[in-house]
Amino acid sequence: EKCGRRFSKIHQITPKRQHKCLIHDGQSRHLTVQKKWLGLCRSVWYNAAVQLIQKYNYAELKRKEGDARLYLTPDGEALPSVTTILSKTKDKSFLKKWRAKVGEEEAEKIIRDSAKIGTALHLYIERFVNGDKYKDLTEVGVQAEKMAQKIIDEAFKDITEIWGSEVHLYNPGKYAGTTDMVGVYKGRPTIIDFKQTNRPKKREWVQDYLMQLAAYAAAHNAMFDTEIEQGVVLMCSRDLTFQRFELEGEKFVRATNAFMKKLDAYNASII
């Protein structure tokens, strides 16, 4: 397939990636797309309008692992992570029933496999955003790449600016955490998280994910005096079903209030 001006646009924005997708066919006017990179080229074309902008100074925070994950802030605080707060205040009765149903050994295997695919999916998207080549030929890596590519193909055309990837945030005196991406989604500043799932989910099953978005938005607003009031979870299941769960308006306010109640409950439990 011959390429023309389209890929000159990609070259301007993603020069690192151009050499992976294109080879010269011996004629000065044309470039030929290698078939094995056709899917990636398509995604880059969707994403050609994305601008990587260092809008804010996102500093990395040190983490302390243990029974509770803590982030160490520049102010000397040790703040609980958003995921720790949600995990410690979660009703786990359903999880206990599920473990009893499938058995402890199988339950642990499912959890481990999900964690591995989730890690690989996030790494693939992060490398894609940074313009770095990444290939994991393990069974987990191949599956994660397909899922990540599905998210890129379906959603990245709605992302026009990326301010940061794997961004550490904290709300002074309250909590901290890491969001997958901060940028402009559908024309508005947005907290963006990527999720893998074994099977497609209903919105009522992802309330913790939505509370995470609201918590990260509040932390970003506290740190940088922004007014982020939108979040989105971009999700892909093992069968490559893509889903997006958007959070804005009244639902955003409710998710924020729900997380703050969780934070109060967590603080009460450790006193």
Side-chain angles (χ1 to χ4, degrees):
E1 181 179 335
K2 302 287 183 170
C3 302
R5 294 181 180 177
R6 283 189 174 187
F7 283 98
S8 68
K9 292 182 181 179
I10 293 176
H11 177 72
Q12 293 169 11
I13 295 170
T14 57
K16 283 187 179 180
R17 198 172 271 127
Q18 190 186 34
H19 75 278
K20 302 170 194 172
C21 302
L22 308 176
I23 57 174
H24 200 277
D25 66 3
Q27 300 180 30
S28 60
R29 291 177 299 167
H30 299 294
L31 293 169
T32 304
V33 180
Q34 293 174 299
K35 285 185 179 180
K36 66 179 180 178
W37 288 109
L38 187 57
L40 179 56
C41 289
R42 182 179 66 249
S43 297
V44 174
W45 173 240
Y46 284 160
N47 203 23
V50 172
Q51 299 182 58
L52 303 178
I53 299 175
Q54 190 174 353
K55 197 176 182 74
Y56 300 99
N57 183 23
Y58 295 130
E60 186 172 351
L61 303 178
K62 291 183 178 180
R63 296 194 305 196
K64 182 179 179 181
E65 302 290 345
D67 182 53
R69 173 180 291 171
L70 301 175
Y71 282 81
L72 307 179
T73 74
D75 303 323
E77 294 181 298
L79 300 177
S81 72
V82 170
T83 51
T84 291
I85 293 166
L86 292 172
S87 176
K88 296 292 186 181
T89 57
K90 189 180 184 69
D91 179 0
K92 297 182 180 179
S93 58
F94 175 80
L95 182 60
K96 291 178 180 178
K97 290 179 182 178
W98 171 74
R99 282 181 173 274
K101 180 179 179 181
V102 303
E104 283 297 321
E105 186 175 343
E106 180 63 17
E108 286 299 321
K109 181 181 183 302
I110 293 172
I111 292 171
R112 283 196 306 271
D113 289 348
S114 296
K116 288 178 182 177
I117 289 181
T119 298
L121 179 146
H122 280 82
L123 185 56
Y124 185 89
I125 294 176
E126 183 182 2
R127 295 289 180 86
F128 174 85
V129 168
N130 293 333
D132 298 327
K133 185 176 181 180
Y134 176 68
K135 201 77 175 175
D136 181 348
L137 297 179
T138 65
E139 183 177 350
V140 166
V142 170
Q143 178 66 35
E145 179 177 344
K146 292 177 183 177
M147 295 164 71
Q149 193 65 54
K150 184 69 173 179
I151 290 174
I152 291 167
D153 289 345
E154 295 287 345
F156 270 51
K157 53 183 173 285
D158 293 319
I159 301 172
T160 51
E161 291 182 12
I162 297 175
W163 299 346
S165 179
E166 294 296 311
V167 177
H168 289 188
L169 299 167
Y170 67 97
N171 199 333
K174 296 180 180 178
Y175 60 85
T178 305
T179 186
D180 296 332
M181 184 178 289
V182 185
V184 176
Y185 168 84
K186 292 188 175 180
R188 296 180 61 193
T190 305
I191 299 295
I192 304 167
D193 260 9
F194 309 112
K195 302 292 185 183
Q196 75 85 35
T197 181
N198 293 342
R199 60 192 178 108
K201 295 189 182 300
K202 297 179 180 179
R203 188 179 181 93
E204 55 264 33
W205 299 349
V206 298
Q207 293 307 302
D208 276 13
Y209 296 161
L210 300 179
M211 282 188 279
Q212 282 183 39
L213 297 177
Y216 295 143
H220 197 286
N221 294 341
M223 290 180 70
F224 302 106
D225 197 27
T226 49
E227 295 183 357
I228 298 178
E229 296 179 341
Q230 178 170 276
V232 62
V233 172
L234 303 174
M235 179 182 290
C236 187
S237 60
R238 303 286 181 89
D239 65 359
L240 302 185
T241 298
F242 170 75
Q243 295 177 280
R244 70 179 84 206
F245 299 96
E246 296 175 343
L247 187 68
E248 60 182 339
E250 183 58 33
K251 291 180 179 178
F252 181 90
V253 174
R254 287 203 299 268
T256 303
N257 292 338
F259 177 76
M260 292 306 174
K261 289 180 180 177
K262 293 276 190 179
L263 176 61
D264 289 342
Y266 174 81
N267 289 335
S269 71
I270 61 175
I271 293 177

